[in-house]
Amino acid sequence: MSIEMPVNPARRSFLRHSALAGGGLVLGFYFNAANSAGHKVAKPGDAAETAFRPNAFINIDHNGTVTLISKQPEIGQGIKTSLPMVIAEELEVDWQDVVIVQGDLDPAYGSQSAGGSRSTPTNYEEFHRLGATARTMLIQAAARIWKLPVEELLARNSAVHHLPSGKQLSYAKLAATAAKLPVPPASAVRLKNPLDFQLLGTRIGGVDNPGIVTGKPLFGIDVQLPGLLYATYAKSPAFAGKVVSANLDEIKALPGVRDTFIIEGTSNLKGLLPGVAIIADSTWAAFSARKRLKVVWDEGKVTTQSWAGFTSKAQELSKQPGAEVLRNDGNVTQALADAAKTIEAAYSYPFISHASIEPQNATAWYKDGSIEIWAPTQNPEAGQKIVTEILGIAKDKIILHITRSGGGFGRRLIPDYIAEVAAIARKVSGPVKLTWTHEDDLQHDQYRAGGFHFLRGGLDSTGKLTAWHNHFVTFSHNVVKDGKSSLELGSGANLSGDEFPGRWISNCLIEQTPLECGIPMGPWRAPRSNVLAWVFHSFIDELAHAAGRDPLGFRLELLGNKGFLPGTGEKGIPYDVNRMKHVLHDVAEKADWGKKNFPRGQGQGIAFHFSHRGYIAQVAEVSVSKDGKLKVDKVVVSTDIGAQIVNLSGAENQVQGSVVDGLGALMFQELTIDKGRIVQSNFGEYPMLRIADAPTKIEVHFLKTDFPVTGLGEPALPPLAPAVCNAIFAATGIRVRRLPLLRTDLSWS
Amino acid sequence: MSKYTIKVNGVSKTVDVSADTPLLWVLRDHLHLVGTKFGCGIGQCGSCTVHIDGVPTRACLTPINDVGIRKVTTIEGLAFKGNHPLQQAWQELDVPQCGYCQAGQIMTAAALLKKSPHPTDQEIDTALAGNLCRCGTYLRIRAGIHRAVELAEQAMV
């Protein structure tokens, strides 16, 4: 049987870049022979002089195969397809000639972290230049061969053409000549006119699709190596508990078990926590042995923490002034006293898990002070850094292969599982794969933090919003630095005083009080925004209805005519009001806002949000049966993410996925904390959205604007929850103020 | 440990494992057929769906001891050339995002099409209720199944 491996040290071949004259910083990289199925595979070992490698991302060999490096990890956001499309567009190659290879972690590629929807905006311009530079050099090569001026030549379909004579030379034939040319300065490279784009903006299928639908090994969990051993790692159910003792001798004697040992670990919730490793001949042998493992844990003080406790503490704190004032414009107290109508509401949401279907895993091979790692990671740099700390070795002793990830959603930005596999591999002879169970994943995630918002709003006699007060009770960790301890807000648990409607209301007080906890917190798709949009657009909707106004008109009036708003201070959020109004008008038109007559039990809701450089508005249409069953019939999304959609198919998939993901979190997701640990352990107790609950229709509209091209992994998610909840209110008169939705009885009569 | 011979994708394979080893791990760790995925391990996510005598089955809950002489089909063996109408439709409509659950989705959908060659959306939702897609590709999964029906019909003409 032939096993194709995503990355195989035995079959890889290092191709050192020869330092091309004027080539700048170009370090070594290699081609991985087992590449995306369905594409021709680059043959390593092409003689350096015949292959054309103008930079670390492009290789054109004498067969005409164009190999492009994907530098960012692929987690389902489609970057492995979309960024190479940008190079291919400028390079004028036929997409079917292109082979995409996932790059390892390598400084030659620049930043390789995939988070914050940043991969597209930070690479888009540069990738145009990379492709255009290579195209320019191929034209120069043809000009040299034909002794013709470059002005008479053009590149098209993987060849350079001289139209007057009908002569053409393929890139395959030009590669060797182009390889000898100096890399031209940026000033000598002309980028294509966007009107001439032929590839960008079209629908291109994911480059790994052929492998995905036929079951090829693409993911971290699929890595196979000769002599591979399998590991499981048991940590304290109460966070960061220490190992006191374990029945290691009994475990060692179990069938298939090779070794078991305690790892002391640290208290770093994002690093190597204490635990017990079991190494076995197979994953099942390791998992089976773990069921017999008995560990005495020193659970520490975290066991006093519970969601019930946090909730009552938050209620208490809400009655006091906030610990920190994030914004204080005008005089809220006076404005609320003067208001014709005031509305008060408390909103809350729980901790939730990323719950990717591929559990955390990584494979590592430690030998003679060096380590080779294969990991599904969004943040290879963070993985490398923590391994240097754990093993006490330099960066250049670490080879890190980035595999495809079975979902990311921010979870794989945190390298705890890479830290674990490194610590385990140091004690194992030969390669070892660490696989978490889904129970491990749910109970040791870097959770989306819960939170509590205590809101008051004031309306004047004309229905205008004149006062806004929010006391946000959120979560923090006690962090000790240089002997001093202080409370640090959890990742994704913060709020900016600039967050809409923070700069739009003349009397606005935004306060924040952190609750200390020992629960790990991390970025969850569209951090902060994924819940803030729900809270603020739900409350704005309450105010609109209290004012007797149309929810769209109320919002448009609130946005006003402020044009471009710079952020407040260094960490402020710049905001283009016109772009938001543009998508809001667009979505209202496309969704026939206010033009449909819904019977009771059906309705429309609207919301918008700016995050990750994207301006998004959504209208949801829902049906709620009398017994309270929700069906989202249709969601219309209007987006402004700049001047160019890179891959229309991928972009649509991201928006539809964001809507479904947002709906899943809204409807079902909730973790309970008790005794310093997570109560739920697997999908049975932590339901996820299934196909029958997916909206019947999701309509996606992209506005083409003059603004820079930005990312789409996150910004389409936040407006979904408030749009749906506002539609539920329109349909039933029931206001949802607590997540998830299943906590609210939606039945009506 | 005991020796078990099972028929996977038309080929007999012998493995030496404990009787309670789930078919999932036999496929992945011992036979290196990794298209069948480990998700939840408790039959809730459907990522490990294979066919046993044509019936969609959770490989994570099927001990090797229970497989016997029944025929096991995995995503690798769904179509000899990887060109089952569902595999074609999935590529044509660019269904996957991360792709991790898709082998399970396709195996479940393939069993549905055998029973019901022209499924309605409601039949699709019922048949695929056990397969989670964390990326939320459900709309394209529905569309992909309808497209596969068309492709299968075209192939028959």
Side-chain angles (χ1 to χ4, degrees):
Chain A
M1 180 172 42
S2 142
I3 310 289
E4 222 184 325
M5 291 185 271
V7 269
N8 180 341
R11 277 162 65 186
R12 72 168 188 240
S13 158
F14 281 85
L15 283 186
R16 287 278 150 199
H17 267 277
S18 50
L20 298 168
L25 177 71
V26 185
L27 301 177
F29 74 105
Y30 65 79
F31 292 103
N32 137 23
N35 185 30
S36 326
H39 277 294
K40 285 178 285 179
V41 169
K43 287 240 172 57
D46 273 326
E49 61 270 22
T50 62
F52 171 47
R53 297 183 199 108
N55 52 56
F57 299 92
I58 302 173
N59 183 95
I60 303 177
D61 70 17
H62 66 277
N63 296 318
T65 301
V66 179
T67 305
L68 303 180
I69 295 289
S70 170
K71 67 175 199 147
Q72 240 80 25
E74 174 62 58
I75 57 172
Q77 84 282 44
I79 204 73
K80 189 175 177 183
T81 306
S82 61
L83 273 183
M85 283 173 69
V86 178
I87 293 184
E89 177 71 65
E90 291 284 352
L91 190 50
E92 299 287 3
V93 288
D94 287 336
W95 185 245
Q96 61 264 30
D97 295 339
V98 172
V99 173
I100 317 280
V101 172
Q102 176 65 54
D104 289 335
L105 177 62
D106 190 325
Y109 304 140
S111 166
Q112 288 181 267
S113 157
S117 296
R118 282 190 298 263
S119 299
T120 299
T122 56
N123 292 297
Y124 186 75
E125 294 292 329
E126 176 61 13
F127 271 52
H128 273 283
R129 267 190 292 279
L130 291 170
T133 302
R135 184 224 317 132
T136 304
M137 293 171 75
L138 288 158
I139 291 174
Q140 287 170 347
R144 182 172 285 200
I145 291 167
W146 288 330
K147 299 189 170 52
L148 286 167
V150 290
E151 292 76 20
E152 289 183 20
L153 310 181
L154 67 88
R156 183 189 286 168
N157 304 112
S158 311
V160 175
H161 302 257
H162 182 244
L163 293 182
S165 65
K167 284 197 287 199
Q168 59 166 299
L169 274 170
S170 68
Y171 285 179
K173 288 184 176 140
L174 290 167
T177 306
K180 296 189 186 98
L181 296 175
V183 176
S187 60
V189 173
R190 194 178 48 79
L191 302 189
K192 282 180 77 168
N193 183 335
L195 294 173
D196 297 331
F197 288 166
Q198 300 200 351
L199 188 60
L200 298 191
T202 64
R203 293 175 180 275
I204 298 293
V207 293
D208 283 340
N209 283 352
I212 287 168
V213 302
T214 53
K216 294 286 186 298
L218 298 165
F219 299 92
I221 204 167
D222 300 338
V223 170
Q224 263 300 328
L225 292 162
L228 184 66
L229 293 176
Y230 301 83
T232 183
Y233 189 59
K235 292 185 290 267
S236 166
F239 293 104
K242 292 176 190 155
V243 183
V244 176
S245 63
N247 58 338
L248 299 184
D249 290 340
E250 192 188 330
I251 298 302
K252 264 180 207 163
L254 292 172
V257 173
R258 294 288 188 96
D259 198 5
T260 178
F261 45 84
I262 292 166
I263 293 176
E264 197 183 340
T266 69
S267 60
N268 178 6
L269 292 169
K270 292 179 163 33
L272 181 63
L273 288 174
V276 180
I278 300 171
I279 317 301
D281 290 335
S282 68
T283 313
W284 184 248
F287 285 179
S288 298
R290 185 165 159 191
K291 287 177 197 148
R292 310 276 291 273
L293 179 68
K294 293 191 189 90
V295 187
V296 177
W297 302 102
D298 170 7
E299 295 185 334
K301 284 191 293 186
V302 76
T303 52
T304 59
Q305 297 178 9
S306 69
W307 181 249
F310 292 141
T311 306
S312 58
K313 185 81 185 156
Q315 297 289 345
E316 255 173 62
L317 290 168
S318 72
K319 298 182 179 87
Q320 303 163 17
E324 193 185 351
V325 173
L326 304 175
R327 171 159 230 111
N328 191 2
D329 294 336
N331 185 338
V332 156
T333 313
Q334 190 61 49
L336 285 168
D338 294 346
K341 211 176 215 177
T342 57
I343 303 288
E344 197 169 330
Y347 282 76
S348 68
Y349 42 87
F351 281 71
I352 64 171
S353 172
H354 295 84
S356 59
I357 314 251
E358 181 189 20
Q360 308 317 312
N361 67 88
T363 301
W365 193 341
Y366 180 80
K367 204 179 174 189
D368 304 329
S370 296
I371 192 165
E372 189 163 1
I373 297 169
W374 294 258
T377 172
Q378 292 179 244
N379 194 352
E381 285 98 338
Q384 182 190 53
K385 182 166 180 289
I386 198 134
V387 173
T388 63
E389 291 163 13
I390 281 159
L391 298 182
I393 58 176
K395 278 184 185 178
D396 64 1
K397 298 289 182 193
I398 302 165
I399 296 173
L400 202 158
H401 307 290
I402 303 164
T403 69
R404 192 176 179 90
S405 284
F409 314 105
R411 173 61 182 88
R412 295 185 221 264
L413 287 164
I414 313 301
D416 44 351
Y417 55 100
I418 298 176
E420 291 169 10
V421 83
I424 290 169
R426 177 163 54 181
K427 295 197 167 192
V428 172
S429 171
V432 59
K433 172 156 64 180
L434 167 68
T435 305
W436 286 23
T437 61
H438 192 71
E439 289 82 357
D440 292 333
D441 237 17
L442 205 61
Q443 303 210 313
H444 294 281
D445 199 348
Q446 308 286 333
Y447 306 97
R448 196 284 305 280
F452 308 87
H453 294 258
F454 300 91
L455 291 150
R456 289 188 297 164
L459 300 159
D460 70 12
S461 56
T462 66
K464 191 173 177 312
L465 183 56
T466 52
W468 176 279
H469 177 206
N470 182 16
H471 186 173
F472 175 38
V473 179
T474 182
F475 288 90
S476 63
H477 288 142
N478 189 3
V479 179
V480 181
K481 267 183 198 159
D482 305 324
K484 281 186 190 166
S485 70
S486 63
L487 288 185
E488 221 168 71
L489 285 178
S491 169
N494 54 330
L495 167 65
S496 163
D498 274 5
E499 198 63 69
F500 180 83
R503 281 164 288 181
W504 280 261
I505 301 164
S506 40
N507 301 292
C508 181
L509 175 62
I510 302 171
E511 304 176 277
Q512 175 173 282
T513 304
L515 280 172
E516 186 188 335
C517 77
I519 316 299
M521 292 176 271
W524 193 102
R525 196 177 198 172
R528 302 175 294 284
S529 300
N530 60 49
V531 272
L532 296 180
W534 170 70
V535 174
F536 300 156
H537 270 282
S538 294
F539 192 56
I540 287 169
D541 216 63
E542 292 199 49
L543 290 159
H545 286 284
R549 302 278 307 277
D550 164 48
L552 170 66
F554 188 77
R555 282 173 173 79
L556 285 168
E557 183 187 277
L558 183 55
L559 279 168
N561 298 309
K562 287 178 184 289
F564 181 80
L565 279 171
T568 311
E570 249 177 54
K571 289 186 175 173
I573 306 169
Y575 199 110
D576 190 325
V577 175
N578 291 334
R579 292 181 75 179
M580 192 55 86
K581 284 167 79 174
H582 195 181
V583 291
L584 202 45
H585 281 297
D586 186 63
V587 82
E589 187 195 320
K590 303 273 169 49
D592 293 324
W593 175 263
K595 290 181 187 159
K596 294 185 176 179
N597 285 319
F598 292 102
R600 187 152 155 74
Q602 288 181 30
Q604 274 185 328
I606 194 163
F608 62 81
H609 191 70
F610 167 70
S611 79
H612 301 83
R613 304 174 172 85
Y615 292 82
I616 319 274
Q618 300 188 11
V619 169
E621 271 179 44
V622 307
S623 306
V624 183
S625 65
K626 280 193 171 173
D627 59 355
K629 176 109 179 63
L630 170 75
K631 176 72 190 166
V632 177
D633 300 311
K634 184 177 171 184
V635 178
V636 183
V637 186
S638 182
T639 82
D640 174 3
I641 53 161
Q644 182 67 51
I645 297 300
V646 178
N647 180 1
L648 184 56
S649 177
E652 249 179 35
N653 221 353
Q654 284 308 301
V655 175
Q656 294 193 334
S658 295
V659 164
V660 174
D661 192 6
L663 186 60
L666 166 67
M667 289 177 77
F668 302 112
Q669 291 175 33
E670 177 178 39
L671 291 168
T672 318
I673 296 156
D674 192 32
K675 299 191 178 78
R677 70 200 76 200
I678 299 295
V679 173
Q680 291 80 4
S681 68
N682 206 321
F683 287 127
E685 304 144 279
Y686 187 77
M688 305 286 290
L689 188 134
R690 294 179 184 272
I691 190 166
D693 285 318
T696 312
K697 195 172 181 191
I698 303 171
E699 233 181 74
V700 185
H701 302 279
F702 296 108
L703 296 184
K704 204 162 179 172
T705 58
D706 294 333
F707 296 95
V709 178
T710 57
L712 201 51
E714 292 164 286
L717 184 140
L720 183 277
V724 169
C725 289
N726 296 341
I728 290 170
F729 182 82
T732 65
I734 297 164
R735 181 60 65 183
V736 178
R737 297 194 188 94
R738 178 184 176 186
L739 295 186
L741 210 47
L742 53 80
R743 292 281 166 200
T744 304
D745 179 4
L746 298 182
S747 61
W748 55 275
S749 52
Chain B
M1 307 284 265
S2 311
K3 287 211 163 139
Y4 294 90
T5 299
I6 57 170
K7 199 159 194 185
V8 181
N9 300 331
V11 182
S12 286
K13 299 278 182 188
T14 302
V15 289
D16 192 7
V17 295
S18 63
D20 66 345
T21 307
L23 175 61
L24 169 69
W25 294 111
V26 171
L27 294 170
R28 292 188 57 82
D29 287 355
H30 300 271
L31 303 179
H32 298 165
L33 290 166
V34 295
T36 305
K37 298 301 189 209
F38 171 51
C40 63
I42 58 164
Q44 289 281 326
C45 75
S47 306
C48 65
T49 306
V50 297
H51 295 174
I52 298 185
D53 276 351
V55 180
T57 305
R58 303 285 180 256
C60 76
L61 295 181
T62 307
I64 184 73
N65 201 24
D66 289 357
V67 177
I69 56 162
R70 293 180 293 166
K71 288 179 201 155
V72 177
T73 307
T74 70
I75 187 72
E76 290 93 340
L78 180 63
F80 177 59
K81 290 182 175 167
N83 61 350
H84 186 282
L86 287 162
Q87 290 169 316
Q88 293 179 49
W90 249 238
Q91 294 180 67
E92 196 181 302
L93 301 189
D94 190 24
V95 171
Q97 285 185 34
C98 86
Y100 195 77
C101 73
Q102 298 295 350
Q105 306 278 2
I106 290 172
M107 294 307 285
T108 306
L112 167 67
L113 292 184
K114 275 208 169 152
K115 262 193 355 201
S116 172
H118 296 89
T120 62
D121 274 352
Q122 201 169 1
E123 282 177 274
I124 291 171
D125 286 2
T126 304
L128 273 77
N131 289 77
L132 285 177
C133 173
R134 176 65 184 80
C135 299
T137 63
Y138 295 125
L139 276 73
R140 285 194 181 184
I141 287 173
R142 284 185 196 134
I145 293 171
H146 291 308
R147 178 63 186 144
V149 169
E150 288 174 12
L151 290 170
E153 279 177 350
Q154 285 167 16
M156 279 160 61
V157 173

